Amino acid sequence: MRKAMMTAIALVLMVTMAFAAGQTESAETTKLVIAGEAGSPQFMYFKEISPQYTAETGVELEFIELPHDNMHERFVQESISRSGAIDIYNADQPWISEFASRGWIEPLDDMISDEDRADFVESAIEASSYQGKLYSIPYFIHTPIVYYRTDLFEEAGIEVPTTWEEFREAAIKLTNPETGVYGTIIEAKQAGEPVTHLVDWYFQNGAEFVDDEGNVVVDSEAAKEVFEFLLAMMYEDGSVMPGSIGYDNADAHNLFMQGKVAMIKNWPYAYAMARDPEQSLVSEDFALARQPAGKYDATAVWTWGFAISSSSRNKEAAWDFIEWATSAENLAGMGTQLLLPVPRKSSFEIVKADETIPEKDKEAILLMSDALDVGHNATESPVFPSIQNEMATVLSKIMSRQVSVDQGLQEAREALERVVE
């Protein structure tokens, strides 16, 4: 009896010790895998500050860097396989509706506090949601802005354009083929990025690809006017830099920094690059402006954020990291370091109060943020990535004059109807 009792006690002790050891090992070895865009300054910012989180929590963080062109495919594969190999997706806004509609990412409404939610810019929350539910916590929100050469505008004696017609006239006046300077660039490469700029042109003229009811309206009269306007600038005015039909945003910012173009529409990320005299020949000779209005003063809002994979085995830990990463202080640090707009109101107040930031840079961040006031979510449809791919082909074909506007938009209608059916 005594021997049996001692054996039972020994077994209980062994089980208890094993459980305790397992708990300790779990706490020590908890690891979160975060996948995002290779080379993204924002993603690299979080990677750089991540040792602080590990020091505070003991949670190990692994950052997987993927080329943007491969991210969507990789995330889809992971979501379908449900391997749990990735805990947190670096969510590009066009994918949020797609992933949410398929149950690949977790709804976050029950995790975020009312106070935190209210601290985020409303359009950032809207753009990170699907059918009224929040699926991504935004750490960055932006819309394209106009970069313009102050020295060239001063020499020409013209004001910064606020309408399409003023933009077109300025581009003509600022074009000087003899010096190799052109008025602007219209991105028309067959790729996703130029389509995001096309969305702005559409919104500014009261056009859409697909309406709120899911009807394809890509070939409306307002849409035709967009392409006719862009083609006129490119081929009638001669104010668009040659080669634009093969350009995307990277080409635009490089040519602007080389002093070869007077105005471009580009993302806020390019500001810090253009301000750097080691990279830019125009570091002291440019400023920012909101996009010119067409029939409407409008633009599309885009976010990057953190989303939790539904197949993650560490959802609570993933949320804890996201809360930490998107705190007011950390997002303010990103805005200050990278000179970017921030999606939290409290973060913006921290940036404004930072006396180490030059006044010109603060003004730029303020303008980037103000431009969001007329922003709209363009990616509510779960099939937006497919819409974007189809429109990339159409944009390229129309702007390179392989097809007429009518023919190209008819092809667009047929392609989008197949996509959204």
Side-chain angles (χ1 to χ4, degrees):
M1 181 72 175
R2 176 182 173 84
K3 183 176 180 181
M5 182 178 294
M6 293 300 293
T7 301
I9 292 172
L11 285 171
V12 170
L13 286 172
M14 288 174 63
V15 170
T16 302
M17 291 173 65
F19 178 78
Q23 289 292 91
T24 302
E25 181 181 359
S26 176
E28 292 176 350
T29 60
T30 297
K31 182 174 79 169
L32 291 174
V33 178
I34 306 164
E37 182 183 11
S40 161
Q42 299 94 322
F43 191 59
M44 291 301 99
Y45 167 78
F46 291 109
K47 183 176 181 179
E48 289 168 6
I49 67 172
S50 65
Q52 300 172 26
Y53 181 77
T54 298
E56 292 173 13
T57 64
V59 175
E60 180 184 347
L61 301 174
E62 179 184 349
F63 287 78
I64 297 177
E65 300 175 41
L66 302 167
H68 186 271
D69 290 347
N70 298 337
M71 280 177 65
H72 180 260
E73 180 183 0
R74 175 69 176 86
F75 288 176
V76 168
Q77 291 172 348
E78 164 60 23
S79 298
I80 292 173
S81 71
R82 301 193 63 80
S83 72
I86 297 174
D87 297 294
I88 299 173
Y89 293 131
N90 188 208
D92 194 357
Q93 177 186 328
W95 310 334
I96 292 173
S97 295
E98 175 191 13
F99 280 54
S101 68
R102 297 182 178 183
W104 291 346
I105 51 179
E106 291 290 296
L108 305 176
D109 300 270
D110 293 338
M111 299 183 185
I112 189 171
S113 69
D114 292 342
E115 182 181 4
D116 264 2
R117 187 182 187 116
D119 191 36
F120 282 91
V121 175
E122 185 177 349
S123 58
I125 293 293
E126 178 187 345
S128 303
S129 302
Y130 173 64
Q131 293 187 344
K133 292 184 178 181
L134 182 65
Y135 285 91
S136 172
I137 302 299
Y139 58 77
F140 180 45
I141 179 171
H142 62 161
T143 190
I145 49 179
V146 174
Y147 293 71
Y148 69 94
R149 289 277 301 278
T150 52
D151 55 337
L152 297 182
F153 270 77
E154 185 176 344
E155 289 174 11
I158 55 178
E159 299 294 323
V160 179
T162 60
T163 67
W164 277 16
E165 287 307 320
E166 289 175 358
F167 187 84
R168 180 178 180 181
E169 291 169 7
I172 293 172
K173 291 178 180 178
L174 294 166
T175 296
N176 187 345
E178 293 183 3
T179 61
V181 176
Y182 285 82
T184 193
I185 286 173
I186 295 173
E187 297 176 23
K189 182 178 181 178
Q190 188 173 327
E193 282 289 339
V195 176
T196 61
H197 295 299
L198 180 63
V199 171
D200 287 341
W201 290 108
Y202 260 57
F203 279 0
Q204 289 158 11
N205 207 47
E208 295 178 280
F209 296 161
V210 179
D211 66 19
D212 292 339
E213 285 72 45
N215 302 308
V216 175
V217 291
V218 68
D219 57 342
S220 66
E221 285 302 314
K224 294 177 184 178
E225 290 171 0
V226 167
F227 279 102
E228 288 166 356
F229 180 82
L230 298 179
L231 287 166
M233 288 187 67
M234 184 174 285
Y235 295 106
E236 293 177 24
D237 301 346
S239 62
V240 176
M241 176 162 285
S244 288
I245 57 173
Y247 291 161
D248 62 10
N249 60 299
D251 301 297
H253 77 236
N254 281 328
L255 289 164
F256 183 78
M257 292 192 299
Q258 292 169 21
K260 296 182 179 179
V261 61
M263 301 182 294
I264 61 168
K265 292 185 178 184
N266 212 331
W267 305 104
Y269 80 86
Y271 177 77
M273 299 168 63
R275 282 278 282 152
D276 182 0
E278 294 188 2
Q279 301 184 66
S280 173
L281 298 178
V282 299
S283 59
E284 297 297 326
D285 297 320
F286 80 95
L288 307 181
R290 290 170 62 147
Q291 293 189 68
K295 294 176 183 175
Y296 303 93
D297 186 11
T299 186
V301 166
W302 308 86
T303 65
W304 282 90
F306 291 118
I308 300 175
S309 168
S310 295
S311 58
S312 168
R313 300 179 183 89
N314 304 294
K315 293 184 178 68
E316 288 187 12
W319 174 250
D320 187 72
F321 168 78
I322 291 172
E323 272 195 306
W324 174 84
T326 60
S327 67
E329 294 75 17
N330 282 333
L331 292 187
M334 186 191 74
T336 300
Q337 181 174 316
L338 302 179
L339 301 177
L340 293 172
V342 288
R344 288 188 83 130
K345 302 165 190 174
S346 55
S347 299
F348 190 62
E349 293 303 316
I350 295 173
V351 172
K352 285 201 296 185
D354 190 337
E355 297 180 356
T356 66
I357 306 176
E359 198 59 35
K360 180 176 180 178
D361 295 337
K362 280 190 184 181
E363 291 174 0
I365 295 173
L366 178 62
L367 184 138
M368 296 173 193
S369 301
D370 286 345
L372 302 169
D373 292 345
V374 294
H376 305 279
N377 182 5
T379 63
E380 181 70 15
S381 171
V383 294
F384 184 82
S386 297
I387 293 172
Q388 189 174 19
N389 288 338
E390 296 294 348
M391 290 306 299
T393 300
V394 171
L395 172 64
S396 175
K397 290 177 71 173
I398 292 178
M399 295 309 297
S400 61
R401 296 197 291 192
Q402 297 178 54
V403 296
S404 67
V405 173
D406 286 340
Q407 183 182 347
L409 289 179
Q410 177 60 34
E411 291 180 10
R413 165 175 279 280
E414 293 170 359
L416 267 55
E417 285 178 339
R418 289 193 298 269
V419 167
V420 303
E421 66 182 8

